[in-house]
Amino acid sequence: MPIELPAGVLAIVFDVGETLVDESRAWSAQAEAASVPPFTLMGVLGALIARGEDHRRVWALLGVERPAGSALIEEADLYPDALPCLRAADERGLVVGIAGNQPAGVEAQLRAAGFSPHFLASSAAWGVEKPSPEFFARVVAEAGLEAGSILYVGDRLDNDVLPARAAGMRTAFIRRGPWGHLHAERPEARLADLRLDTLADLSAALIAGRPAEVQVTS
């Protein structure tokens, strides 16, 4: 069933991990650096996500130190629908932003991978991270628009959809990555204005350009 963009949206801001970027290689690299089998790391990580616990506890549960640093984001790590979706938003005349919980230096990595949004920021650069209200206040300030005209797109309810909604934004929940698939089973997923299986669905709505007055589900 085709989706439609909510009425009045003038900007779209995207989360990074598992929204634009497939983090499989990064987690596999962390497992290798910690001398932990990737399957073990992914299994424990999934259990923490399912229980609603901080995923960063994974290293303590495995009894190893968290590896220093993180894998650089490369063009090959991008989901194939990511760049086309940002281009569709830009061609629609919308303000396009990228803002997520990411380490220092990710802005340059994403630009090198092909992104050229109107603004691009990380939690490291801002000194505040999701789900803090201050993070979403910064998103609103960077977009230069009223919160209600901004659509925030992310794969998590706790870090993306619910706090962005509390800040007055419209929201799109994408069901991919471990958080996306597990959070899709929660009743709060229906609070998102849009529920997506891929960013190609959002691209189609941007190209069609038809406003919607009601919540859309996929």
Side-chain angles (χ1 to χ4, degrees), residues 2-5 88-89 92 200-212:
I3 68 165
E4 297 176 338
L5 196 68
R92 175 77 183 271
D201 297 334
L202 182 55
S203 294
L206 288 164
I207 292 168
R210 295 189 301 270

Side-chain angles (χ1 to χ4, degrees), residues 54-165:
D54 190 335
H55 71 282
R56 290 169 290 195
R57 288 193 61 231
V58 68
W59 307 110
L61 288 176
L62 292 171
V64 299
E65 291 290 329
R66 178 178 180 175
S70 57
L72 299 180
I73 296 172
E74 301 174 357
E75 186 176 355
D77 298 318
L78 306 185
Y79 278 108
D81 54 13
L83 287 171
C85 188
L86 267 73
R87 283 196 295 268
D90 184 59
E91 290 169 2
R92 175 77 183 271
L94 303 180
V95 172
V96 180
I98 299 175
N101 284 352
Q102 294 291 321
V106 74
E107 294 90 345
Q109 296 169 37
L110 290 172
R111 291 190 188 281
F115 292 108
S116 55
H118 294 92
F119 68 91
L120 200 170
S122 65
S123 55
W126 280 350
V128 62
E129 63 180 28
K130 297 183 293 184
S132 167
E134 289 78 16
F135 181 95
F136 292 95
R138 286 295 301 267
V139 170
V140 174
E142 291 290 331
L145 297 164
E146 295 292 327
S149 64
I150 302 169
L151 178 73
Y152 191 82
V153 185
D155 65 299
R156 294 177 60 167
L157 295 176
D158 56 351
N159 263 20
D160 301 322
V161 171
L162 298 181
R165 187 172 183 269

